[in-house]
Amino acid sequence: MKVPLLDLQAQLAYLGEDLIAAVTRVVKSTRYIQGPEVDGLEREIAEYCGTKHAVGVTSGTDALLICLMSLGIGPGDKVVTSPFSFFATMGVILRVGATPVFADIEPESFNIDVAKTAELLEADKEKKIKAIIPVHLYGQCAEMSGLLDLAKKFELAVIEDAAQAIGSEYPMIIDGKTHFRRAGSMGTAGCFSFFPSKNLGGIGDGGMVVTNDSEFAEKLVLMRNHGAHPKYYHKLVGGNFRLDPIQAAALRVKLPHLERWHRQRGENAARYNHLLGETDLLDKGKVRTPPSVYSQTTGSEGKGRNLHIYNQYVLRVERRNELRDWLLQNDIGCEIYYPVPLHRQECLGALADQFSCPIAEKAANETLALPIYPELTGEMQEYVVKKLVQFYN
Ligand SMILES: *Cc1c(COP(=O)(O)O)cnc(C)c1O
């Protein structure tokens, strides 16, 4: 049996015609820059996330970059982030000339540790740290309450890297009551990627910034179009960060399916957990399933909520590299997200020696993502688990 890590053909089987119709609509309209498809998607994403504004951009990377540019973060400034993420999270900090500072992750959630973030902020006597970029890794929100408290105390911007977490809900406790807030809607701004492998993926590159801050949204709109207003009068130095209307039209076809896809991914995760629970791999410590940390803390209130949207289903395993090779030999797609933590990337040069993030380093050696896409079948999952058992026995 062949089990790909992601199968976009399976999605195309029921969405293909609608996608082609959407692309055709844009082609025939001749509205190839901005226009009604981009405006429409922005309205729909803002509504979906529960934010006042959404600003379409070229990619998830550019969503992060345009936020830092619009905050005026640059040389001499520092930004705290997680060492365990896709490169873009750190890349944008370096590209604006600022310096990344890493707070290690929590071992359970793989997300930035609030206590360690606090330590870094306390130690920053010169007040060089201007922002925090928490990453909602694999589809589960970082501990936003603690981070927002710190941001308030130290007067920092919070840019959520929600590239893997659109629609993921965080249980925010306000006056003793739980309010479920969607990823991206809690910080100064939230950034999404529409890279095809995300839960909401385009037919190419695309991204979005959401925010409740109307002034910031206005600035983003200027910045994505070379800072011009009106045309040819440049108030600011921005760039060309405009979302392609063909992508917007395709994403509007997909958005109505997103909640079902989240649910199917959640069901697939539960099935893996169940199937693995029937083996001796968990008891023997060969494999650890990914915890949904907020479903443990919210109990019945969290039922039916997107506490984890499983953009990735990531195990911690023994003999990780050998297992990856074994699965690939058996036609099972799998991937390591991510083999080298950000603070160990070669491009950092001497800066790399300043940081100690042992939990991220351990995660980089132990994690392996299995296929979890919505159309994955129970039979395929049984095959995956059978091959895991064969490997360890
Ligand atoms: C995908 C991703 C990005 C970058 O998004 P692109 O659209 O590929 O530029 C940034 N951060 C994280 C955590 C991601 O997973």
Side-chain angles (χ1 to χ4, degrees):
M1 191 184 300
K2 213 174 157 71
V3 188
L5 185 59
L6 175 67
D7 184 5
L8 290 175
Q9 285 293 343
Q11 193 186 79
L12 211 57
Y14 56 89
L15 279 188
E17 281 181 28
D18 292 351
L19 287 172
I20 289 165
V23 172
T24 305
R25 194 166 73 224
V26 177
V27 172
K28 288 188 173 166
S29 76
T30 70
R31 289 299 302 270
Y32 300 149
I33 300 292
Q34 293 297 132
E37 297 292 346
V38 173
D39 293 347
L41 181 70
E42 288 176 344
R43 272 196 311 276
E44 289 159 15
I45 295 284
E47 192 192 341
Y48 179 74
C49 296
T51 58
K52 279 193 201 149
H53 308 279
V55 180
V57 294
T58 22
S59 67
T61 305
D62 283 346
L64 293 163
L65 182 63
I66 198 175
C67 283
L68 293 184
M69 288 171 74
S70 299
L71 289 167
I73 289 173
D77 297 333
K78 293 182 175 179
V79 177
V80 182
T81 193
S82 164
F84 199 51
S85 180
F86 177 59
F87 177 75
T89 315
M90 167 175 87
V92 295
I93 300 170
L94 295 165
R95 283 172 66 191
V96 297
T99 305
V101 183
F102 298 102
D104 207 351
I105 55 169
E106 297 172 341
E108 286 282 288
S109 68
F110 303 103
N111 283 326
I112 193 166
D113 187 313
V114 175
K116 286 175 189 150
T117 305
E119 275 171 36
L120 290 171
L121 293 170
E122 300 286 353
D124 178 39
K125 297 295 176 221
E126 294 169 69
K127 296 225 165 256
K128 299 226 178 215
I129 296 172
K130 299 289 156 54
I132 310 174
I133 306 183
V135 182
H136 305 318
L137 201 70
Y138 306 143
Q140 177 166 250
C141 288
E143 191 52 86
M144 287 303 290
S145 285
L147 295 171
L148 291 172
D149 287 347
L150 288 174
K152 203 166 178 188
K153 179 171 170 198
F154 291 92
E155 297 177 352
L156 308 174
V158 177
I159 303 300
E160 295 173 60
D161 183 343
Q164 300 181 7
I166 190 165
S168 180
E169 291 175 290
Y170 174 80
M172 178 103 53
I173 299 178
I174 303 167
D175 298 330
K177 269 197 72 184
T178 309
H179 297 258
F180 290 92
R181 300 282 302 272
R182 285 200 162 156
S185 71
M186 296 170 273
T188 314
C191 298
F192 300 120
S193 163
F194 302 130
F195 189 82
S197 67
K198 313 292 184 183
N199 284 29
L200 180 63
I203 53 172
D205 279 308
M208 186 82 66
V209 182
V210 293
T211 181
N212 286 312
D213 181 332
S214 300
E215 232 173 275
F216 193 64
E218 268 174 45
K219 196 158 183 189
L220 293 171
V221 168
L222 283 186
M223 292 296 276
R224 77 166 163 196
N225 199 16
H226 290 294
H229 185 77
K231 209 170 169 182
Y232 308 127
Y233 292 80
H234 299 265
K235 293 190 197 309
L236 303 161
V237 181
N240 176 355
F241 297 120
R242 298 181 299 256
L243 177 64
D244 186 329
I246 288 183
Q247 295 308 325
L251 289 160
R252 294 180 81 190
V253 170
K254 292 197 180 195
L255 183 58
H257 298 268
L258 185 59
E259 282 299 303
R260 176 169 51 84
W261 290 333
H262 290 334
R263 197 172 60 244
Q264 288 170 320
R265 284 170 180 269
E267 285 163 7
N268 292 345
R271 190 178 297 119
Y272 273 136
N273 292 346
H274 173 76
L275 290 169
L276 286 165
E278 288 184 327
T279 72
D280 58 0
L281 296 180
L282 303 184
D283 291 339
K284 282 189 178 162
K286 303 291 180 199
V287 165
R288 280 165 57 193
T289 54
S292 166
V293 294
Y294 303 120
S295 67
Q296 291 162 20
T297 55
T298 54
S300 63
E301 268 189 313
K303 284 252 165 8
R305 294 283 176 176
N306 298 331
L307 299 174
H308 198 323
I309 61 158
Y310 294 99
N311 179 241
Q312 301 298 343
Y313 177 87
V314 175
L315 298 176
R316 278 184 187 269
V317 299
E318 271 186 11
R319 293 161 56 205
R320 195 267 316 271
N321 290 352
E322 282 173 71
L323 174 62
R324 175 199 50 194
D325 295 345
W326 163 258
L327 291 176
L328 292 176
Q329 278 161 23
N330 283 284
D331 281 332
I332 296 170
C334 58
E335 188 58 273
I336 298 166
Y337 301 112
Y338 296 92
V340 182
L342 297 180
H343 69 292
R344 291 283 172 239
Q345 292 293 345
E346 193 179 337
C347 66
L348 279 182
L351 195 60
D353 302 326
Q354 290 186 12
F355 303 106
S356 166
C357 301
I359 299 175
E361 278 168 42
K362 193 161 185 287
N365 289 322
E366 293 181 347
T367 46
L368 190 65
L370 298 182
I372 192 72
Y373 62 89
E375 298 83 5
L376 189 72
T377 65
E379 207 184 355
M380 287 165 143
Q381 292 187 275
E382 281 164 22
Y383 176 71
V384 172
V385 172
K386 193 173 101 187
K387 289 294 161 189
L388 281 169
V389 171
Q390 267 180 25
F391 173 78
Y392 286 108
N393 297 336

